[in-house]
Amino acid sequence: MPFEGSCHCGTVRFEVDAQPPTKAVSCNCSHCRRKGFLLSFFPAEQFTLLQGQESLGSYKFNTHKIDHRFCRECGTEPFAQGANPDGTAVCAINLRCVPSIDLDTLELQRFDGAKA
């Protein structure tokens, strides 16, 4: 059952062709900690940008391997694009941008990105 998400203003909308996740990664790196992300990772082919390509900005930091995509209108970062260690393309979905997911029911998996 696919699920949809968006930025705050609705300019950027996306769909993930997968079951809504029950787990989320909570990372403490300088970027995730400041923005409060709860992330779930999906193969890139399961991700479809429905609208807003022209409004997306890009932010890369540290190793520049992850393309953090944000709406230039409202500043929200609904997803990021990168690759798994084996090189396969992946999308990291900011579950805080998916209204149908009850964040309080997610099993949190802590990742120590501050030391990675």
Side-chain angles (χ1 to χ4, degrees):
M1 175 177 155
F3 62 91
E4 292 188 13
S6 69
C7 64
H8 185 257
C9 71
T11 298
V12 175
R13 291 184 46 245
F14 64 88
E15 179 180 82
V16 178
D17 188 16
Q19 291 293 321
T22 59
K23 298 177 182 179
V25 174
S26 177
C27 176
N28 68 350
C29 78
S30 61
H31 186 67
C32 292
R33 184 181 69 238
R34 283 173 174 79
K35 294 196 171 185
F37 294 140
L38 293 177
L39 301 170
S40 191
F41 296 80
F42 296 89
E45 61 269 11
Q46 290 181 320
F47 176 85
T48 302
L49 183 64
L50 299 173
Q51 71 179 45
Q53 176 67 41
E54 67 286 346
S55 295
L56 282 172
S58 178
Y59 175 66
K60 295 180 181 180
F61 72 103
N62 195 10
T63 63
H64 297 262
K65 293 181 181 178
I66 300 172
D67 190 7
H68 298 271
R69 305 306 305 267
F70 63 91
C71 173
R72 289 191 197 120
E73 300 297 319
C74 67
T76 302
E77 184 182 316
F79 64 93
Q81 297 166 308
N84 283 322
D86 67 3
T88 58
V90 67
C91 278
I93 304 299
N94 178 3
L95 297 180
R96 294 191 184 276
C97 294
V98 180
S100 64
I101 293 180
D102 182 353
L103 301 176
D104 292 332
T105 65
L106 293 171
E107 177 185 333
L108 296 184
Q109 299 172 321
R110 309 277 181 199
F111 180 75
D112 190 358
K115 293 184 182 178

